[in-house]
Amino acid sequence: MFAEWSAECSAEDPVLVVPWKDPGGLAEFIDLRANPYDLHRIPEAEQHQPLMQALRALNATRSPVFTAKCDAWPLAPDELGPLRFNLDLAPADAPAGFASYIDLIWRERSVFTSFHQQEQILHRLTRHAALLDRPYAALDCVVRPALVDLDGPQEGYALSLYVKALGADPQAACDEWAAALNAVTALLRGKDLARATGPKARAG
């Protein structure tokens, strides 16, 4: 798997605000930690079972994160080229693609407020993801500022998690995306990643 991370934390970059509500009133933040059965209120999860499974796992009690936003879509022609380049694939071998993103908030306050700790976690996450045997998939992580006001306002950093995949046809691309998303979700909940937020990491 191709895996990388970056930060978009300048004054001009957007801030993730939680809770949020669409100006048109058609969508809003749903706290799946408190209401796991509200998954049916997220159209993207209803339409894409692998996304629903990822949201369920990432909001479970033992997960180090919770989710704020998500989406899933077939890759447009202008998105396919850069991904093929990163994966070193020819157009004929990968004419179709599928992708998703999930905005994540770290539950532990010390991690949420620390760019340094999140940097350590993402180094570990991308290193482990790169070892996955998924040559048609990519993980792109973006750290961005966040303002969370659920139990009082807190400023910190969120993680936008992009999982993308290519395939010989749309179904193959969706299948590869599903497998890659499941693997990345497991990494996020794994013990190896958790060690990056332990006492030694916090002291560093």
Side-chain angles (χ1 to χ4, degrees):
M1 177 182 286
F2 178 85
E4 64 180 358
W5 75 274
S6 60
E8 297 181 1
C9 299
S10 71
E12 294 77 24
D13 289 320
V15 176
L16 177 64
V17 178
V18 180
W20 59 270
K21 191 167 187 176
D22 182 77
L26 299 177
E28 63 183 339
F29 169 70
I30 297 174
D31 190 347
L32 294 174
R33 298 170 302 168
N35 303 291
Y37 293 106
D38 281 351
L39 269 169
H40 73 277
R41 295 175 55 195
I42 303 175
E44 297 83 1
E46 285 281 290
Q47 296 163 12
H48 305 288
Q49 189 67 24
L51 181 60
M52 178 179 286
Q53 293 171 353
L55 294 177
R56 184 178 289 117
L58 293 170
N59 287 284
T61 303
R62 294 185 179 182
S63 171
V65 298
F66 66 93
T67 64
K69 285 184 179 181
C70 66
D71 199 3
W73 67 97
L75 289 177
D78 62 334
E79 297 176 289
L80 292 171
L83 184 54
R84 287 195 198 105
F85 177 82
N86 286 337
L87 297 176
D88 195 23
L89 294 171
D93 296 329
F98 199 85
S100 65
Y101 87 85
I102 305 175
D103 283 337
L104 303 173
I105 303 293
W106 298 95
R107 298 192 189 202
E108 188 175 335
R109 180 184 173 89
S110 65
V111 178
F112 170 69
T113 58
S114 171
F115 181 88
H116 175 64
Q117 286 195 54
Q118 294 199 32
E119 180 182 33
Q120 289 183 314
I121 293 171
L122 291 177
H123 277 307
R124 185 182 292 268
L125 175 61
T126 52
R127 188 166 64 248
H128 282 274
L131 297 176
L132 295 172
D133 186 19
R134 304 240 66 96
Y136 283 76
L139 169 65
D140 183 16
C141 303
V142 181
V143 180
R144 62 182 78 254
L147 174 62
V148 177
D149 191 358
L150 297 175
D151 301 305
Q154 298 181 21
E155 294 185 10
Y157 300 92
L159 171 62
S160 293
L161 190 82
Y162 294 86
V163 176
K164 304 176 183 180
L166 297 174
D169 55 55
Q171 186 57 56
C174 282
D175 291 345
E176 180 62 27
W177 162 76
L181 179 60
N182 181 64
V184 170
T185 299
L187 287 179
L188 278 164
R189 295 197 55 187
K191 293 181 180 179
D192 287 340
L193 189 66
R195 283 204 294 268
T197 65
K200 183 177 180 180
R202 286 196 291 270

